[in-house]
């Protein structure tokens, strides 16, 4: 049965509603970045760019790097945008745009986030790279889907108990990365850890300018939490949504992070663009080696 027009929304040119992409525009390997301006920072390394489009915060370029076809897409900030981007990426490969029906043969995409983050562990210094082995989400996105099978509830419940989690906040959920992509992108030179994803940059990440916080010890407790020798290492705003939506939709995802801030020591990088450029080069080389 065809999907309803109110659910599967296409533009007049036949492109998907928010991303403004048609199926032929998308590569099977995708790099996501938060900042629309960072798309060009990635694709300036490409041998060629075959397609480019911008709509709202969503900027997409598809081209080739060392003969490998890659799409680079900006998601903007937050898991609300991840919900939009990942549903529409999946639709581009797994829904027939003519019949408006889900295809019988489904495709898996490889999705690599290249983003920025702040460490909450003093021993993870600024200007280093961190690969997120797991993500713990405080955003609540996955609870709108049938997601229990992919969530590590034992980890979540241990975390809630340790943190004395405020019940009016969203129920935390824990999701793994793609071990296939971790193997491809991992080296001994980068840190690995558990990424906490929250719904804001200030209060939700323990920052206070003028407003009081519900739990002003949250970051210290996050840093001290240990579950079977696993520690939460860093804070950002997209990874749990990326891992959760990828798992639910049958895609592979890994989050690669530049440590720009160390919340434990109070430091912030003086060369953020230079460090990001290094991570972009690192990821492109790993994807084509």
């Amino acid at each position: 049965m065809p999907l309803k027009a109110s659910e599967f929304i296409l533009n007049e040119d036949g492109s998907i509603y928010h991303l403004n992409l048609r199926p032929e525009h998308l590569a099977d390997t995708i790099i996501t970045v938060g900042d629309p301006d960072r798309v060009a920072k990635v694709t300036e390394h490409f041998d060629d760019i075959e397609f480019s489009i911008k709509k709202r915060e969503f900027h997409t370029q598809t081209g080739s790097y060392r003969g490998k076809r890659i799409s680079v897409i900006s998601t903007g900030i937050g898991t609300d945008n991840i919900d939009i981007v990942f549903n529409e990426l999946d639709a581009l490969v797994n829904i027939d745009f003519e019949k408006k029906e889900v295809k019988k043969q489904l495709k898996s995409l490889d999705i690599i986030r290249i983003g920025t983050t702040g460490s909450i562990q003093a021993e993870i210094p600024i200007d280093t790279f961190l690969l997120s082995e797991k993500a713990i989400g405080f955003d609540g996105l996955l609870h709108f889907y049938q997601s229990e099978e992919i969530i590590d509830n034992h980890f979540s419940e241990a975390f809630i108990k340790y943190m004395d989690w405020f019940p009016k906040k969203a129920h935390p959920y824990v999701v793994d990365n793609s071990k296939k992509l971790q193997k491809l992108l991992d080296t001994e030179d980068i840190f690995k850890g558990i990424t906490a994803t929250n719904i804001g940059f200030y209060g939700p990440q323990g920052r206070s300018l003028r407003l009081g916080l519900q739990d002003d010890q949250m970051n210290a407790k996050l840093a001290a939490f240990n579950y079977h020798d696993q520690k939460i290492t860093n804070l950002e705003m997209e990874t749990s949504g990326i891992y959760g939506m990828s798992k639910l939709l049958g895609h592979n995802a890994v989050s690669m992070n530049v440590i720009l801030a160390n919340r434990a020591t109070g430091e912030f990088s003086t060369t953020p663009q230079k460090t990001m450029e290094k991570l972009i080069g690192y990821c492109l080389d790993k994807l084509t080696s």
Side-chain angles (χ1 to χ4, degrees):
M1 181 179 293
L3 295 165
K4 295 177 181 178
S6 61
E7 313 304 299
F8 178 52
I9 307 171
L10 298 179
N11 299 309
E12 289 184 4
D13 63 355
S15 63
I16 196 75
Y17 186 52
H18 294 93
L19 299 184
N20 234 157
L21 300 174
R22 295 195 300 271
E24 65 268 22
H25 297 147
L26 192 69
D28 292 345
T29 298
I30 299 166
I31 292 172
T32 69
V33 297
D35 184 355
D37 291 338
R38 196 176 299 143
V39 172
K41 296 294 185 181
V42 178
T43 60
E44 69 182 10
H45 298 273
F46 282 17
D47 305 316
D48 62 79
I49 297 171
E50 65 182 72
F51 177 80
S52 180
I53 195 165
K54 294 180 181 179
K55 185 179 180 182
R56 303 186 188 186
E57 60 265 65
F58 309 118
H59 181 192
T60 303
Q61 291 188 354
T62 296
S64 296
Y65 178 76
R66 295 180 182 173
K68 185 177 182 66
R69 192 168 184 251
I70 300 172
S71 293
V72 185
I73 300 176
S74 62
T75 64
I77 298 174
T79 57
D80 50 349
N81 278 7
I82 295 302
D83 180 64
I84 292 170
V85 172
F86 277 63
N87 271 294
E88 294 194 1
L89 289 177
D90 180 76
L92 287 163
V93 295
N94 288 323
I95 293 178
D96 186 315
F97 273 43
E98 297 297 324
K99 297 180 180 178
K100 297 180 175 56
E101 294 177 348
V102 176
K103 296 178 180 178
K104 293 181 180 178
Q105 189 71 34
L106 299 179
K107 177 185 282 190
S108 291
L109 299 167
D110 288 341
I111 303 168
I112 300 91
R113 172 190 181 267
I114 297 179
T116 61
T117 191
S119 169
I120 58 171
Q121 302 291 347
E123 66 270 21
I124 301 179
I126 57 173
D127 298 318
T128 57
F129 304 158
L130 184 141
L131 186 155
S132 303
E133 295 185 294
K134 297 176 184 286
I136 179 166
F138 307 150
D139 55 286
L141 172 61
L142 286 203
H143 301 311
F144 289 89
Y145 296 98
Q146 296 177 9
S147 58
E148 285 301 300
E149 290 187 0
I150 69 164
I151 293 174
D152 185 341
N153 283 306
H154 294 294
F155 191 124
S156 299
E157 293 306 321
F159 174 82
I160 289 167
K161 183 178 180 180
Y162 178 86
M163 294 289 292
D164 190 21
W165 193 249
F166 188 49
K168 291 186 178 181
K169 294 178 181 176
H171 195 285
Y173 61 88
V174 178
V175 191
D176 287 332
N177 69 5
S178 162
K179 300 310 173 190
K180 166 194 163 183
L181 291 184
Q182 175 167 335
K183 183 177 181 181
L184 182 65
L185 288 158
D186 193 10
T187 65
E188 294 180 355
D189 298 328
I190 65 175
F191 290 93
K192 271 76 70 178
I194 300 174
T195 295
T197 298
N198 220 322
I199 56 170
F201 183 78
Y202 289 95
Q205 292 190 37
R207 290 183 174 91
S208 176
L209 301 183
R210 290 203 311 115
L211 298 177
L213 302 176
Q214 181 272 323
D215 183 356
D216 60 9
Q217 296 301 307
M218 183 185 74
N219 284 4
K221 290 190 288 185
L222 286 175
F225 175 70
N226 187 310
Y227 180 74
H228 295 175
D229 295 325
Q230 301 174 91
K231 289 186 175 183
I232 296 172
T233 49
N234 60 303
L235 295 168
E236 51 77 81
M237 295 179 63
E238 288 87 37
T239 297
S240 67
I242 289 172
Y243 285 4
M245 295 301 293
S246 294
K247 292 283 186 187
L248 291 176
L249 292 165
H251 304 298
N252 305 300
V254 70
S255 180
M256 302 293 294
N257 304 270
V258 167
I259 304 292
L260 291 188
N262 187 298
R263 304 296 300 284
T265 64
E267 296 173 281
F268 192 87
S269 174
T270 59
T271 58
Q273 297 302 325
K274 182 179 179 180
T275 307
M276 174 54 73
E277 179 66 23
K278 288 180 180 178
L279 180 59
I280 290 169
Y282 174 93
C283 291
L284 288 174
D285 287 346
K286 288 294 180 182
L287 287 172
T288 55
S289 60

